[in-house]
């Protein structure tokens, strides 16, 4: 499973911390930027990350902005993308189990770094439960 990482300037520092942690854990990643704290527009980086997933290059994505809100709105414009803006370990886990979220959105300005890293680990390890949830997410792609 290859994971695409993207951020705007508000999420840049946390994205770098997440990248380091994932690389240390031996995860395969693609970083589509941004690559500094200079101001950029989050839809551009959400689109780059989503494109890598729709091409099949990456299977999961983690997008970071100030609140996670802009990134989730931008990513969810695309068919078959289920981007979940999560705030704690429970919502991160449930976004996988119930929603089969393929993108985790995080808000660097509203999350504690250790909590964000724990959310990433939980989210990557949690599995979709299927069953009654499958028919629900199928309706999102109609
Ligand atoms: C950028 O200042 C900020 O608006 C952005 O990172 C994000 O929070 C938008 O949802």
């Amino acid at each position: 499973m290859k994971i695409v990482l993207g951020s705007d300037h508000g999420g840049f520092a946390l994205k770098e911390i997440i990248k380091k942690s994932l690389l240390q854990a031996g995860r395969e990643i693609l970083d589509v930027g941004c690559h500094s704290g200079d101001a950029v527009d989050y839809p551009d980086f959400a689109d780059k990350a989503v494109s890598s997933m729709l091409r099949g290059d990456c299977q999961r994505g983690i997008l970071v902005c100030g609140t996670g809100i802009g990134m989730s709105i931008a990513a969810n414009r695309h068919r078959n993308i289920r981007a979940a803006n999560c705030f704690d370990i429970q919502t991160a886990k449930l976004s996988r189990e119930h929603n089969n979220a393929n993108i985790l959105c995080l808000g660097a300005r509203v999350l504690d770094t250790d909590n964000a890293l724990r959310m990433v680990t939980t989210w990557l390890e949690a599995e979709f439960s299927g069953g009654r949830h499958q028919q629900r997410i199928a309706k999102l792609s109609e």
Side-chain angles (χ1 to χ4, degrees), residues 13 15-16 20 22 36 39 44 46 69 88 92 105 129 134-135:
K15 188 254 294 172
E16 293 299 303
K20 190 174 163 198
L22 292 178
S36 79
D44 296 339
I69 297 170
D88 52 28
C105 298
S129 301
Q134 178 56 47
Q135 73 200 38

Side-chain angles (χ1 to χ4, degrees), residues 8-11 42 65-71 109:
D8 71 354
H9 53 291
Y42 57 80
C65 64
T67 59
I69 297 170
M71 283 297 195
R109 294 176 181 157

Side-chain angles (χ1 to χ4, degrees), residues 20-133:
K20 190 174 163 198
S21 164
L22 292 178
L23 290 173
Q24 278 174 350
R27 296 278 192 180
E28 193 182 6
I29 63 133
L30 170 68
D31 181 356
V32 295
C34 63
H35 299 294
S36 79
D38 295 345
V40 292
D41 299 329
Y42 57 80
D44 296 339
F45 294 90
D47 285 352
K48 283 177 198 272
V50 166
S51 294
S52 77
M53 293 175 67
L54 297 180
R55 276 198 308 271
D57 296 343
C58 296
Q59 290 68 50
R60 299 268 201 96
I62 299 173
L63 294 174
V64 193
C65 64
T67 59
I69 297 170
M71 283 297 195
S72 60
I73 292 171
N76 279 318
R77 295 173 65 237
H78 299 272
R79 190 179 174 85
N80 294 326
I81 292 297
R82 294 174 300 279
N85 189 19
C86 298
F87 292 92
D88 52 28
I89 289 175
Q90 188 181 17
T91 50
K93 186 164 181 275
L94 286 170
S95 78
R96 289 287 309 132
E97 292 178 351
H98 287 196
N99 312 106
N100 201 11
N102 48 13
I103 294 182
L104 173 65
C105 298
L106 298 171
R109 294 176 181 157
V110 297
L111 291 173
D112 167 82
T113 301
D114 288 342
N115 187 37
L117 288 173
R118 280 195 295 271
M119 289 167 64
V120 166
T121 303
T122 300
W123 187 76
L124 288 172
E125 290 175 357
E127 298 286 344
F128 179 47
S129 301
R132 68 187 187 281
H133 302 294

